[in-house]
Amino acid sequence: MFWPQVTPARLDRTSTFAGWLRERGVSVDGRPDIRRLRKSSKVEKAITFKGRVSDIADDHSVQTFHRHYAHGTTLKVIAGSLITAAQTRWLDKAVAGPVVLGEEAEQSLSQPGSAAALGLSEEEVEQLRTGQLDMGVSSCRDPFASPYGRAGQLCPVAPTRCLECRNAFVLPSNLPQLLLFSDHLERLQLRVSPQLFHTLWGQSRVNVTEAIKARTDAELAQARLQIAEDKASFPLPLSAHVEFDA
């Protein structure tokens, strides 16, 4: 945003803002008060600079801004900007989840350009297809670049948080594990309070349910058969078997 070039209103010691307006044939509603004009410009600056006090207080000290302008409309603008930014950041994180691939999508991974469309290299696609990136309930584009751990550290929360991770790829072959994880969450929901379950596992529950919905009845029946015949397992870390309602 560019600020228009405005010639400053120069008033001598005996002049008033009301007199300056009359001389120029300018009429305003209400009592003319130059302080309101100044505060309006501060609000515009607060909006333009998104609450950065160092930029808003460019013609006086930061202390003056805090004493005279950091309240009312200006404060609401700054607070609203900060709240919106925080909500956006956390909502983006909350809705981040895995990429769910169907049979056709998995088969298309071998086609030219499919790797780039998923943000993967050709080598990563081959590792994905051959199960080298399997983390239990999904595959992972990079287990050493987890958003839940330090850079270079093997993901510390797999497989229990894979369904909340943007690095995860859910393949058709993961369906038995998805069902077993869903069963685990159902049992867990009976052991803890609704508030705690929603806080810790609500998003995982939503994501795993949506991933299962993407499969056909025939695929679900086949996956359940694999589980019944002990051909599929979902190993959970010891910590996942204990929940504290505190």
Side-chain angles (χ1 to χ4, degrees):
M1 177 177 181
F2 295 94
W3 291 97
Q5 296 295 322
V6 178
T7 302
R10 302 186 181 280
L11 307 177
D12 57 40
R13 293 180 181 273
T14 60
S15 300
T16 65
F17 182 52
W20 184 87
L21 291 174
R22 286 194 301 271
E23 290 176 3
R24 287 155 179 78
V26 178
S27 61
V28 296
D29 295 332
R31 179 171 172 267
D33 190 336
I34 199 171
R35 293 174 300 177
R36 301 307 307 165
L37 183 63
R38 183 171 176 78
K39 285 195 174 185
S40 295
S41 68
K42 288 295 178 184
V43 172
E44 292 182 4
K45 285 185 179 181
I47 296 172
T48 302
F49 295 114
K50 304 195 183 297
R52 294 194 303 272
V53 176
S54 59
D55 291 316
I56 302 169
D58 57 348
D59 55 350
H60 51 66
S61 67
V62 171
Q63 290 77 12
T64 298
F65 176 83
H66 288 158
R67 287 197 303 269
H68 298 284
Y69 301 104
H71 56 77
T73 304
T74 304
L75 182 59
K76 291 177 181 178
V77 169
I78 296 175
S81 178
L82 293 175
I83 291 172
T84 300
Q87 288 177 333
T88 299
R89 183 174 68 253
W90 285 107
L91 285 173
D92 288 344
K93 182 178 180 180
V95 299
V99 176
V100 180
L101 300 179
E103 293 284 356
E104 293 183 3
E106 184 181 19
Q107 294 173 4
S108 69
L109 289 175
S110 59
Q111 298 177 2
S114 61
L118 292 174
L120 298 172
S121 66
E122 297 294 340
E123 180 182 0
E124 288 171 335
V125 167
E126 183 60 26
Q127 293 175 335
L128 186 68
R129 296 181 63 195
T130 57
Q132 298 179 53
L133 300 177
D134 189 2
M135 299 295 285
V137 71
S138 70
S139 294
C140 182
R141 72 172 69 237
D142 190 348
F144 293 93
S146 169
Y148 298 98
R150 298 188 299 272
Q153 174 192 27
L154 182 65
C155 180
V157 297
T160 55
R161 295 298 176 188
C162 290
L163 271 296
E164 299 178 45
C165 184
R166 59 182 178 270
N167 287 344
F169 284 88
V170 178
L171 304 177
S173 58
N174 293 128
L175 183 54
Q177 286 72 32
L178 290 175
L179 292 172
L180 290 169
F181 185 40
S182 179
D183 293 343
H184 168 73
L185 292 180
E186 286 185 9
R187 293 190 298 269
L188 183 60
Q189 191 171 10
L190 300 176
R191 295 167 51 191
V192 300
S193 70
Q195 295 85 352
L196 183 62
F197 181 83
H198 177 75
T199 300
L200 297 180
W201 299 104
Q203 191 62 50
S204 283
R205 180 62 179 274
V206 170
N207 290 356
V208 73
T209 300
E210 290 300 315
I212 292 173
K213 283 182 179 178
R215 306 308 180 192
T216 65
D217 291 341
E219 289 174 323
L220 292 172
Q222 180 62 31
R224 285 294 184 191
L225 181 61
Q226 292 180 30
I227 295 172
E229 295 177 348
D230 291 328
K231 295 181 179 179
S233 63
F234 179 51
L236 288 168
L238 181 61
S239 60
H241 294 281
V242 182
E243 293 290 339
F244 297 94
D245 191 0

